[in-house]
Amino acid sequence: MVGGSRKGHLKFSRPLCLALLLASGGVCADQPLRLSLREVNARRPPDYSSVYTGKRVVVRGVVNAERYRFPQFTILAMQSEPEGGAVLSVPPSDSRLDTYQPGDELEVVGLVAFTDGMVSIQPQTIAVVGRKSPPQAFTVSPRDVQDARYLGRLVHVKGRLAQQSDSSAGAQVFITDHCKLFEPRLRYLPQPSFAGFNTGDDIEATGVGFQYSPGAPFTGGYEVLVAPASLVHHERGWSLPPLVLACGISIVLLVGFVLWGRERHLGDQRERLRKTYHLGEEILGATSTEAILKRLEDSLPAILQITRVHLYTHNRGAKTLDAVPGKEPGGPSISLSSPPAGTHAGAVACFHYRTLLAIPDIDRSPFPIGGKEGDASPKSLLFVPMLAQNEVVGVLELDQDDRVRDFTADEQALAQHLGNQIGVTIRLLDQRSVQEQLFRTEKLAAIGRLISGVVSELQAPLASISDLAQRAMEKARSSPAERDVLAIASEAQKAAGMVARLVSFAAAEQVEARPVSITALLKNLIEFREGDWKASGIRVRDLTSREPLAVLGSQGQLEQVFLNLMVHAEQSLVAAPQKVLTIRTSLLAKRLLVEIAFSAPPEPRSPEETAAVLGVTRSVIAGHGGEVRLIEKNNADPRFEVELPISTRERMAPVPVSVSASSLPADHSRRMTALMIEPEEAAQRQLLALLSARGYRVVPVGNADTGLELAHRMRFDAAFCSVHAPGLNWVELSERMSSRVGGFILLSDSYDAELANDFSGDGRFVLPKPVIETELDRILRTVERATTAKVVPIKNGVA
């Protein structure tokens, strides 16, 4: 019974439980899910579609904006903080969402829908559960809009309009290519709703975050739904005020123009300097002042924008400025003491003031350079002194005929630099002329000495011929050969007379030979030339014997021989890499050997010059019983060898030797040197003989300019100058040489008491011609005392 009742009970309870289970399942299936707004928007990878699509849910939130109408649906956004936001979606014919305003708190039961990437809730029931303050919009950047957390929430964004377009669903604009603002419309309008907006304008908008992504994955297409009233449009204005911007542009243009002008000016200056330096190189290679002026006339007008060029050189003798002839005929010489009117007055003023003289307008010039009425005068002038070694050698004149112009400081400096180059070139030309003249004088002197030696050698044969002719004539009297012998005697007498005249002209009389100390002679010559050798970089090796070695002969001639050989060696060492001069003495079987060796030059001197030197020295050394030779070997330096017989007691008898004075010099502790400026040959020979007899070395020259040049390079104890010497006048010459010589002796044509009183004194003397030996001795003693008291120091070969 009990068992049966239990089994029946079981049969009854199984259907009941099944019915109860079905009933409870139905009730659970109708119960909606209560979710937060953030949970409603949940997504699942990999396509990021909605998790709750088709589910019936219950959500609560506050309306944050007016509803938005699309052609296919109407949406209403609500949000709750901090949960998130969501949108309600109904068909366009459903007007339930029109009654709700921002701030209404709603509780909604509905189905979750997922359309084109956007999660929405299709409401079944909507209940207003309260009223709150409308939510505030989140201020976000255009880039932050691309985030799912802002979907359904009210945001505020601003930026610069990048592009805009229109479609059937509404109008859209893009802010900085990241954020899209969309304004939905119910129908297509022919004009965009954003009419009047331009690219670059600043835009502010407040709307609801939305997503429109037609295809998977649904990770993009974020945008902001806006209403026309929420748009704030700022037209793009000037970042800077127009006046400030215009000023800035003007300043930039002005600076650019200044820099361009400066660069162009610097370019012109560089081109002008290049042309000027090229012109200076051409001037330094000119062979005459006419060639210098021609180069200036061809190039300088284009460089300095001038019309004409004039060149004036200083004539010391005449005290004038001599115009160099060029394209235009040269004008007369300009007197420095009384210049004529016109532009010549400016040249003289420039010379006297030793400074550049610029005259922009000739009509306003303080100098009387306007010229005569009716004469064509330049409008602007520039006078440039040509300086060389701090001495004005001339004036360069630049004329501008076309217009009045002011020479700039750069142009004046350029002209002065060019003027100095011209001055140096003129000085070099003068020095070259002096050197050529000295070389010609040396050649003439060498030829004279050579002729003297040859003539001396001819005297004895001609005398023998004459003597034999006389004897033959006595034996041939009244014979057929008498006429021929008489003719031979007559011609021999003519030849002897001719030789006698040559001897009297080119050679001196025969005198007795005396002992000459070669050791002291060489020491004096080395001391005399040591300054010039140091200045030329020549190193001297003095290997002369300390023992006094003497020979019989003329000290003047022997001194001239060894001086000529040393000068020849010195000139050969000019281009030698190793400038070494060796002087050695030695004894070989009672004969004195003097060797003058010098470093081998890269190009040996011409055979003609060497032959001329050896020809003169051979004739003199042969007269002293010796010989001279030049030794040149491939593996050794060239050298001169002079061999002379040594003086002994057995050989002290007088020997006739050709000397250059009527008497021989006395012993002197220091050899004196004299400069002789005498153009007359007879007076020059007489004074040369007198000075040589008194132990003086004499350097003869023919004009005052050459003498002044030598006085700058060598030390002279006395200077003899003729009143008729060409070149610089003797008054100015005496002033310039007063500090360079021990005494200045003026050679007058005859005794002049007034001249002697005015000129004599303070190392200056007047010596009338013909020279009286007693008067000469008196002057020389005075000069020697003054020189001994105060010896002029030599530095680098210059006194």
Side-chain angles (χ1 to χ4, degrees), residues 618-654:
R618 279 196 181 105
S619 64
V620 176
I621 295 300
H624 288 72
E627 62 176 316
V628 61
R629 51 189 173 268
L630 174 63
I631 307 300
E632 291 182 308
K633 296 181 180 179
N634 294 332
N635 56 352
D637 291 335
R639 70 180 185 274
F640 290 109
E641 291 185 353
V642 180
E643 187 178 336
L644 291 168
I646 289 294
S647 173
T648 60
R649 291 182 180 274
E650 292 77 16
R651 301 181 59 184
M652 291 297 292

Side-chain angles (χ1 to χ4, degrees), residues 133-214:
S133 299
Q136 298 296 319
F138 294 94
T139 301
V140 297
S141 66
R143 187 179 297 274
D144 292 339
V145 172
Q146 310 299 316
D147 195 331
R149 61 179 176 171
Y150 293 110
L151 291 177
R153 305 173 92 173
L154 189 67
V155 297
H156 178 80
V157 64
K158 60 182 178 180
R160 183 161 294 176
L161 191 150
Q163 58 178 324
Q164 58 178 316
S165 61
D166 200 18
S167 66
S168 58
Q172 59 187 6
V173 298
F174 287 88
I175 299 176
T176 62
D177 296 331
H178 295 293
C179 176
K180 181 173 73 173
L181 306 180
F182 189 81
E183 178 193 346
R185 292 200 305 273
L186 295 178
R187 63 182 182 279
Y188 177 74
L189 297 177
Q191 294 295 332
S193 297
F194 297 106
F197 286 36
N198 298 309
T199 302
D201 291 348
D202 292 330
I203 296 177
E204 293 185 37
T206 302
V208 174
F210 198 73
Q211 185 179 14
Y212 175 72
S213 179

Side-chain angles (χ1 to χ4, degrees), residues 500-522:
R501 287 193 299 271
L502 286 175
V503 170
S504 64
F505 177 77
E509 53 188 289
Q510 302 292 324
V511 296
E512 292 182 350
R514 295 184 180 182
V516 178
S517 175
I518 298 299
T519 303
L521 186 146
L522 292 175

